[in-house]
């Protein structure tokens, strides 16, 4: 673990290096700026609203919005009305939205098992698609998505937003130029300490405005004898059941069993059930595997791992709550990734470890840079090596002058990345050049295969190949 002083110096090193030797500069995206992309969104739950809140209204606008859940639909509509378009059309049925049309592209932010069916519907209706990660539930589905986009001449992007994160773009540029030397190891993790369940919002001002009551005021009326501590004592699943009753009352059409979920918890917490998700590896690990693939310009050949349901044994989930994996890449390179739900000591990071230096990217919003062979409190900068004419990491007062670029980090890079990712997608659609997206279908597919193989190694306690998609496909 780094000491506070080391963190401060490492951050200053990254910032200084970015000023002296910028590898990322904000792009203009002229085509989508001249005519913002006209889009729709399917799924305005947590992530759908993050996309809506961070997209740039100068580059994209939303003509239609669709969600099965009345609360998420109302919340998503509210964001669109205030940020983009007061006349947005609102749907609970994707087919109806697509047949009404009036937009060129669709953002999809729904549970994993729906990614491929919804993407294929949108592509066959002639719409470009930005689909959230992980790309799809099976390799076969990834292939169908890629083929459908190609056949229809449409753009397909996958929501691995590190490709659009200024810190990762900066790091990628430096790594490409050999600043870290040879990199044999990337260490990534995403650790949390909670049951990983979405808990209903008891008090929500916006829904109160729309529906005239909060969930709590409604529940109080329904259970007049209940005391405040009775609400507090409820299990998350009990709270979710109550929440879904409330939703059904707001919209009698709404019934989670109509959409393939057996219980409200399955719909609200689809990521805990294998029928809808591949658990920690797909929901968290896919991002970090994708980043590693991108930084190393390759994909893992095999994976070995361990894990299981270690802590939440009796709460109904059937996906692992601990995963530990080691991915072998071409060129004797190794990614070690773990994700756990019982301790968040280090939270989440990607640590790129080269023979000449280390880049440490934490929480998608902080970048630290260290030179190998120096104390971690050493001030580092980038200079041009006289002999090779290549950029190198250096220490020493004379090299520490700053360039004129604006400071890079303000702690919001994670959110900026969603906006830039959407700018990239809009520009690709506007110019008809699919290569302008951050994460392509092929990139998304590579990360997805690694996810499936990782779960398989844990399930079967065997080394799994990641570069033989037919082997993995057969397992699902
Ligand atoms: N890129 C990221 O950093 C990031 C972060 C979180 C989640 N995600 C991804 O975003 C997606 C959504 O995750 P979430 O956390 O927002 O889940 P969520 O449960 O909060 O929201 C999903 C929404 O999709 C709606 N939905 C499901 N099927 C639908 C259908 N057929 N038609 C219309 N609406 C439908 C649900 O009603 C729900 O409101 C997932 O794929 C997840 O992996 C990405």
């Amino acid at each position: 673990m780094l000491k506070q002083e080391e963190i401060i110096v490492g951050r200053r090193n990254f910032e200084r290096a970015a000023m002296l030797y910028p590898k990322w500069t904000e792009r203009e995206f002229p085509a989508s700026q001249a005519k913002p992309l006209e889009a729709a969104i399917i799924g305005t739950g947590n992530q759908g609203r993050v996309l809506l809140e961070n997209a740039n209204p100068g580059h994209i606008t939303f003509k239609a919005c669709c969600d099965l859940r009345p609360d998420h639909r109302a919340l998503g509509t509210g964001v669109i009305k205030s940020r983009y378009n007061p006349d947005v059309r609102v749907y609970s049925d994707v087919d109806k939205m697509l047949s009404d049309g009036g937009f060129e592209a669709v953002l999809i932010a729904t549970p994993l098992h729906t990614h491929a069916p919804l993407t294929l519907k949108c592509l066959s209706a002639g719409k470009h698609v930005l689909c959230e990660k992980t790309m799809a539930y099976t390799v076969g589905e990834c292939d169908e998505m890629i083929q459908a986009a190609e056949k229809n001449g449409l753009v397909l992007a996958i929501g691995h937003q590190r490709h659009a994160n200024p810190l990762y773009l900066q790091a990628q540029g430096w790594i490409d130029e050999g600043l870290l030397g040879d990199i044999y190891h990337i260490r990534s993790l995403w650790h949390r300490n909670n049951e990983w369940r979405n808990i209903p919002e008891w008090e929500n001002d916006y829904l109160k405005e729309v529906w005239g009551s909060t969930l709590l005021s409604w529940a109080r009326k329904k259970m007049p004898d209940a005391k405040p501590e009775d609400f507090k004592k409820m299990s998350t699943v009990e709270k979710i059941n109550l929440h879904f009753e409330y939703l059904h009352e707001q919209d009698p059409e709404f019934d989670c069993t109509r959409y393939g979920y057996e219980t409200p918890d399955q719909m609200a917490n689809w990521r805990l059930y294998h029928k809808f998700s591949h658990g920690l590896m797909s929901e968290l690990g896919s991002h970090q595997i994708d980043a590693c693939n991108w930084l190393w310009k390759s994909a893992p050949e095999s994976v070995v791992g361990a894990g299981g349901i270690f802590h939440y044994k009796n709460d109904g989930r059937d996906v692992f709550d601990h995963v530990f994996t080691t991915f072998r890449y071409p060129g004797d390179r190794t990614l070690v990734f773990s994700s756990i739900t019982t301790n968040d000591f280090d939270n989440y990071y990607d640590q790129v470890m080269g023979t000449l230096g280390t880049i440490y990217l934490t929480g998608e919003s902080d970048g630290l840079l260290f030179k190998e062979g120096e104390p971690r409190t050493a001030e580092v900068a980038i200079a041009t090596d006289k002999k090779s004419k290549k950029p190198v990491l250096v220490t020493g007062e004379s090299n520490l002058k700053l360039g004129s670029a604006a400071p890079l980090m303000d702690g919001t890079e994670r959110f900026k990345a969603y906006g830039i990712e959407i700018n990239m997608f809009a520009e690709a659609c506007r110019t008809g050049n699919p290569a302008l997206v951050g994460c392509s279908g092929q990139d998304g597919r590579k990360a997805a295969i690694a996810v499936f193989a990782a779960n398989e190694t844990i399930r079967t306690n065997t080394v799994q190949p990641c570069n033989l998609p037919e082997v993995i496909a057969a397992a699902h």
Side-chain angles (χ1 to χ4, degrees):
M1 182 163 181
L2 292 173
K3 297 190 186 104
Q4 191 58 22
E5 191 195 350
E6 295 168 340
I7 293 173
I8 291 168
V9 172
R11 188 178 294 137
R12 199 154 59 217
N13 288 344
F14 194 101
E15 189 73 83
R16 182 189 301 115
M19 287 171 145
L20 286 169
Y21 197 63
K23 296 307 294 175
W24 180 80
T25 40
E26 194 130 17
R27 281 197 256 145
E28 292 282 313
F29 305 107
S32 59
Q33 226 174 108
K35 189 170 185 298
L37 186 69
E38 297 190 336
I41 183 162
I42 307 175
T44 51
N46 291 324
Q47 179 62 8
R49 295 201 303 279
V50 168
L51 297 178
L52 291 172
E53 277 154 11
N54 289 285
N56 184 338
H59 297 186
I60 190 167
T61 186
F62 291 88
K63 297 288 187 179
C65 161
C66 178
D67 199 294
L68 301 172
R69 277 178 61 159
D71 52 345
H72 289 172
R73 197 160 60 230
L75 291 167
T77 307
V79 180
I80 296 178
K81 284 189 173 169
S82 70
R83 292 201 78 212
Y84 303 93
N85 173 16
D87 303 318
V88 59
R89 295 192 309 275
V90 183
Y91 298 86
S92 57
D93 177 7
V94 168
D95 293 328
K96 172 88 176 95
M97 183 178 87
L98 287 171
S99 78
D100 286 354
F103 47 87
E104 307 156 88
V106 183
L107 270 48
I108 297 176
T110 56
L112 175 59
H113 70 296
T114 66
H115 287 179
L118 291 174
T119 298
L120 292 171
K121 269 186 191 188
C122 295
L123 290 170
S124 58
K127 313 297 175 197
H128 304 288
V129 173
L130 167 54
C131 177
E132 264 304 338
K133 50 46 68 172
T134 298
M135 182 170 178
Y137 194 82
T138 66
V139 186
E141 287 182 341
C142 295
D143 290 339
E144 280 184 70
M145 289 161 75
I146 292 169
Q147 282 156 16
E150 280 172 7
K151 188 176 119 208
N152 293 301
L154 294 164
V155 174
L156 172 64
I158 307 301
H160 286 300
Q161 72 275 0
R162 281 168 178 70
H163 292 254
N165 183 312
L167 301 179
Y168 282 77
L169 286 159
Q170 195 78 249
Q172 196 246 0
W174 292 335
I175 289 166
D176 268 4
E177 299 207 358
L179 202 70
L180 296 192
D182 296 326
I183 303 163
Y184 296 105
H185 183 37
I186 295 180
R187 183 160 71 192
S188 294
L189 59 79
W190 204 322
H191 290 186
R192 295 179 168 189
N193 188 357
N194 58 47
E195 63 176 320
W196 206 33
R197 273 194 155 82
N198 281 323
I199 298 172
E201 278 188 74
W202 290 98
E203 302 289 343
N204 183 304
D205 287 342
Y206 184 77
L207 291 182
K208 184 175 181 182
E209 205 180 303
V210 180
W211 289 340
S213 72
T214 64
L215 172 58
L216 189 57
S217 57
W218 172 86
R220 279 193 182 124
K221 268 194 223 142
K222 199 175 161 57
M223 297 183 283
D225 298 332
K227 304 195 173 57
E229 51 273 28
D230 296 330
F231 290 109
K232 276 195 204 138
K233 267 193 246 150
M234 275 182 182
S235 71
T236 310
V237 169
E238 285 169 326
K239 287 178 188 165
I240 290 166
N241 288 340
L242 202 60
H243 187 188
F244 271 53
E245 250 185 77
Y246 171 62
L247 296 183
H248 181 65
E249 214 171 276
Q250 301 302 331
D251 174 359
E253 293 274 292
F254 175 71
D255 171 3
C256 66
T257 61
R258 281 179 55 207
Y259 320 121
Y261 303 96
E262 284 160 31
T263 61
D265 189 54
Q266 282 195 359
M267 183 166 195
N269 289 301
W270 52 271
R271 41 172 66 75
L272 298 180
Y273 299 95
H274 184 250
K275 194 171 165 194
F276 315 114
S277 164
H278 292 299
L280 293 169
M281 285 310 308
S282 63
E283 300 314 317
L284 304 179
S286 64
H287 277 303
Q288 292 174 282
I289 298 165
D290 164 69
C292 193
N293 291 351
W294 176 50
L295 296 176
W296 270 337
K297 297 188 176 37
S298 58
E301 291 171 331
S302 63
V303 54
V304 63
I309 305 180
F310 294 163
H311 186 71
Y312 294 102
K313 288 184 190 293
N314 301 313
D315 76 346
R317 81 184 58 202
D318 58 9
V319 299
F320 306 136
D321 60 9
H322 287 70
V323 293
F324 306 88
T325 53
T326 302
F327 291 91
R328 177 112 194 204
Y329 280 71
D332 296 329
R333 292 166 152 180
T334 302
L335 161 68
V336 172
F337 169 78
S338 63
S339 185
I340 69 175
T341 50
T342 50
N343 181 303
D344 77 347
F345 189 75
D346 269 341
N347 200 225
Y348 76 114
Y349 65 69
D350 300 299
Q351 197 170 31
V352 187
M353 305 166 89
T355 49
L356 302 178
T358 300
I359 290 178
Y360 185 38
L361 299 160
T362 62
E364 298 175 69
S365 288
D366 204 0
L368 314 182
L369 175 66
F370 301 99
K371 183 173 175 341
E372 266 301 279
E374 300 287 342
R376 289 198 208 113
T377 46
E379 301 276 346
V380 172
I382 295 182
T384 306
D385 182 59
K386 284 196 185 105
K387 252 205 215 150
S388 67
K389 307 282 179 240
K390 288 194 167 168
V392 286
L393 290 177
V394 292
T395 51
E397 278 311 309
S398 58
N399 294 304
L400 302 187
K401 282 175 254 109
L402 294 185
S404 56
L408 182 70
M409 281 183 269
D410 64 9
T412 62
E413 280 65 33
R414 176 176 159 229
F415 294 101
K416 277 186 210 153
Y418 297 119
I420 297 168
E421 167 186 79
I422 294 169
N423 287 351
M424 288 170 159
F425 171 66
E427 191 71 1
C429 300
R430 262 289 156 267
T431 58
N433 180 3
L436 295 183
V437 301
C439 177
S440 68
Q442 291 293 354
D443 296 330
R445 178 181 183 277
K446 282 183 205 147
I449 290 174
V451 162
F452 307 148
N455 279 338
E456 208 57 14
T457 179
I458 295 169
R459 199 180 65 78
T460 58
N461 208 16
T462 52
V463 179
Q464 285 292 315
C466 302
N467 55 353
L468 294 175
E470 60 279 10
V471 174
I472 310 301
H476 285 270

